[in-house]
Amino acid sequence: MRNINSSHSSFRECQPNEIELVSVVDELKPVNGPNALHKPGLETWTCAWSKDNRYFAWSCGDKFVRLVPWEKDQGRLCKKARQYSGGSTQGYDVIGYDSEVDPENVKEEDQEEEEEDKQLPIYLIDCKDYVWSVAFGEGQTPQHNPQSWKRMKTSSSIILATGLQTGRIKLWDCSTGNLIIELLDHKDVVRGIDFGPDGSLLMASAARDGTIKLWDLKDDGNMYHTLRTGAKWNNCCKWSHNCEYLAAVGSNKVAVILKMDDTKKVRQLKGHYHDILSCDFSPDSALFATACYDTRVIVWDPYTGDMLLELGHLYPPPRPIFAGGANEHYVRGVSFSRDGLHLCSVADDGYLRVWNLEEYYDPQYIAEHQNALCCSFSPKDYRISVGNQMGGVIFYAMPRLVPSLQQLCRLSIRKQIISTKVDFLHLPVRLKEFLKYHDL
């Protein structure tokens, strides 16, 4: 039942009951049971989809990460994952330091069930420490040479990285659930992890020790660079689609874009009034969105630093002196859709919002979701995952959309050309403005 008495100050030109709802398609309940109360250490701070949409993982509290298969064709969890979506560990292979799962050592009944359903195994991974970030990486590591010693040995092309409270990062093999390697360099909570989307197995990690660290997993997990953004706490980092740029956000209103061939040149994005918690690039990296405690999501041109859009979660918006404090509308997460024209956000006012950037005064779709901490668009469809303070995840389905031919062309062109070079193209001015997303 819709709560029509919700605060109307969350929206600009309409009331909540006038906005279309997104539907719930699936749910993953907390490890401690469906009726678990909020306790410190049980929150779902992060969730992630693999690039090919075969896996979904989230930090389900109590030092565990749950790794489940996702049915791409059906757009929902696999049958077995839905069956064991409650709070117990029944049906899950529990993986830790001293345990391994042998894919060949499976009961005959389980073999018959897997052959019938053609499902991947599901794992409950014991990380031995509180998990603050998860991310999937895809790519092939160099073949093992028996004459050389390597720390990283994996049989899978899909790797799951978990960032822990102690500053450690653990990498897991998604095909077996086994620990691949443990990376030690951060001194505090690893709040964000991101893999390069180009399959290079470059990994960036953002931590509350004030550093961003870059890792090369093809070079045996070597940490090859440490960056400082000026933030006391770094909360999130994201690669551009071709790994030529890295973005990072954190406390002290810090949002920066770094060019990887010259990391000394840092572009500062100035406009927020509070700590920035989350960020994301659009699929063509032409747009960059930041979610902040000042009640706003700002969409930027990452190559010029221009502010293109402000998506407010409180109306009238708080003045800067109040936006820098407690306001009960903290924006916790933001994520772009595959078409580059929609993004979702979650805030402390109890709503999931889905914005159409071409009609941005109010969200196009909403859902009432209390205590949300993170959100993420699926990379292959219009499913949205939202994690909450109880350690669970709810999946929402946005109506399927077919991007216009114009938008598909713009995505293709902008993957090749950054905005500062668009003006040098021999095209009409109006078309250049379109390519730079100035029509939003």
Side-chain angles (χ1 to χ4, degrees):
M1 181 176 179
R2 304 190 64 176
N3 181 11
I4 60 175
N5 294 320
S6 299
S7 173
H8 296 169
S9 63
S10 293
F11 303 94
R12 180 172 177 176
E13 296 182 346
C14 62
Q15 297 180 1
N17 59 342
E18 298 174 338
I19 303 176
E20 185 176 351
L21 291 174
V22 288
S23 58
V24 176
V25 293
D26 247 320
E27 181 178 2
L28 288 166
K29 296 178 182 178
V31 171
N32 294 283
N35 299 318
L37 299 176
H38 172 229
K39 296 180 181 179
L42 301 183
E43 304 93 343
T44 297
W45 287 107
T46 179
C47 55
W49 313 73
S50 64
K51 186 178 178 181
D52 61 0
N53 248 38
R54 293 176 62 200
Y55 294 98
F56 179 81
W58 87 103
S59 60
C60 49
D62 236 3
K63 307 180 182 180
F64 285 102
V65 168
R66 203 179 299 187
L67 176 64
V68 297
W70 182 267
E71 292 182 352
K72 297 184 291 183
D73 297 335
Q74 302 297 325
R76 61 184 305 175
L77 295 169
C78 71
K79 180 179 178 182
K80 190 176 179 182
R82 295 196 303 272
Q83 180 181 358
Y84 298 112
S85 64
S88 71
T89 60
Q90 181 186 8
Y92 288 82
D93 295 316
V94 181
I95 309 299
Y97 279 128
D98 304 322
S99 60
E100 291 186 356
V101 172
D102 185 355
E104 298 179 358
N105 186 20
V106 184
K107 295 180 180 179
E108 294 182 1
E109 296 180 359
D110 294 338
Q111 286 181 342
E112 293 176 359
E113 183 179 347
E114 286 186 7
E115 290 176 0
E116 180 180 353
D117 296 335
K118 296 181 180 180
Q119 294 175 355
L120 297 168
I122 58 180
Y123 298 115
L124 186 64
I125 300 174
D126 186 1
C127 294
K128 310 295 183 183
D129 196 5
Y130 291 116
V131 181
W132 285 79
S133 54
V134 296
F136 284 98
E138 296 188 25
Q140 293 293 338
T141 56
Q143 293 184 354
H144 175 58
N145 184 352
Q147 298 181 350
S148 63
W149 181 81
K150 291 287 186 181
R151 296 186 303 164
M152 279 199 61
K153 299 177 183 179
T154 176
S155 60
S156 174
S157 61
I158 304 180
I159 298 171
L160 175 66
T162 56
L164 308 181
Q165 183 165 304
T166 57
R168 301 187 177 194
I169 299 173
K170 295 179 181 178
L171 304 180
W172 307 86
D173 189 326
C174 288
S175 63
T176 64
N178 294 333
L179 180 67
I180 301 172
I181 194 174
E182 190 171 355
L183 305 176
L184 312 174
D185 210 79
H186 283 297
K187 307 302 181 185
D188 207 338
V189 176
V190 179
R191 192 63 186 85
I193 299 176
D194 193 39
F195 283 87
D198 60 354
S200 61
L201 283 182
L202 295 178
M203 185 180 77
S205 57
R208 290 187 173 177
D209 58 9
T211 65
I212 303 288
K213 293 187 183 292
L214 308 181
W215 313 79
D216 187 354
L217 301 190
K218 289 188 176 180
D219 188 21
D220 210 22
N222 176 46
M223 196 281 292
Y224 65 93
H225 205 3
T226 298
L227 304 169
R228 293 189 177 272
T229 63
K232 180 180 179 181
W233 288 0
N234 290 301
N235 292 322
C236 186
C237 58
K238 291 290 181 179
W239 291 100
S240 64
H241 72 281
N242 54 11
C243 291
E244 292 185 2
Y245 294 86
L246 178 70
V249 299
S251 60
N252 306 329
K253 315 170 193 174
V254 169
V256 298
I257 307 290
L258 303 106
K259 199 171 188 301
M260 287 296 95
D261 60 2
D262 188 1
T263 55
K264 293 182 179 180
K265 292 184 178 180
V266 179
R267 183 176 300 282
Q268 301 277 351
L269 304 180
K270 297 182 179 180
H272 280 298
Y273 307 127
H274 209 321
D275 295 347
I276 307 172
L277 196 65
S278 178
C279 64
D280 197 19
F281 275 106
S282 62
D284 57 0
S285 301
L287 301 175
F288 178 66
T290 52
C292 182
Y293 284 166
D294 66 4
T295 77
R296 297 180 299 161
V297 168
I298 296 182
V299 181
W300 312 79
D301 182 332
Y303 308 107
T304 63
D306 294 336
M307 189 186 303
L308 302 179
L309 289 178
E310 289 187 38
L311 307 177
H313 294 65
L314 175 64
Y315 290 101
R319 288 180 291 171
I321 190 171
F322 296 109
N327 51 56
E328 298 182 352
H329 285 70
Y330 286 170
V331 186
R332 299 282 182 175
V334 66
S335 178
F336 267 102
S337 68
R338 58 181 297 189
D339 64 8
L341 286 179
H342 291 83
L343 58 81
C344 62
S345 62
V346 289
D348 285 354
D349 65 348
Y351 287 102
L352 161 70
R353 293 169 171 82
V354 180
W355 304 83
N356 182 343
L357 298 187
E358 295 179 319
E359 302 173 0
Y360 63 90
Y361 292 107
D362 274 317
Q364 187 175 12
Y365 307 100
I366 64 170
E368 292 189 23
H369 193 116
Q370 299 294 328
N371 303 315
L373 292 176
C374 62
C375 62
S376 178
F377 257 112
S378 165
K380 295 295 184 181
D381 54 30
Y382 290 96
R383 298 293 192 262
I384 303 169
S385 62
V386 179
N388 56 47
Q389 291 183 8
M390 267 55 81
V393 178
I394 295 180
F395 298 91
Y396 296 92
M398 182 179 137
R400 293 195 177 189
L401 303 173
V402 178
S404 67
L405 182 59
Q406 286 180 321
Q407 176 59 15
L408 293 175
C409 291
R410 176 160 60 178
L411 285 171
S412 180
I413 294 173
R414 287 305 310 271
K415 284 184 178 180
Q416 308 298 324
I417 301 175
I418 64 176
S419 57
T420 54
K421 295 184 179 180
V422 169
D423 288 331
F424 296 98
L425 299 176
H426 295 287
L427 295 172
V429 174
R430 186 174 179 180
L431 187 53
K432 292 179 183 179
E433 294 296 292
F434 173 77
L435 290 176
K436 291 189 289 186
Y437 286 88
H438 287 180
D439 63 321
L440 299 181

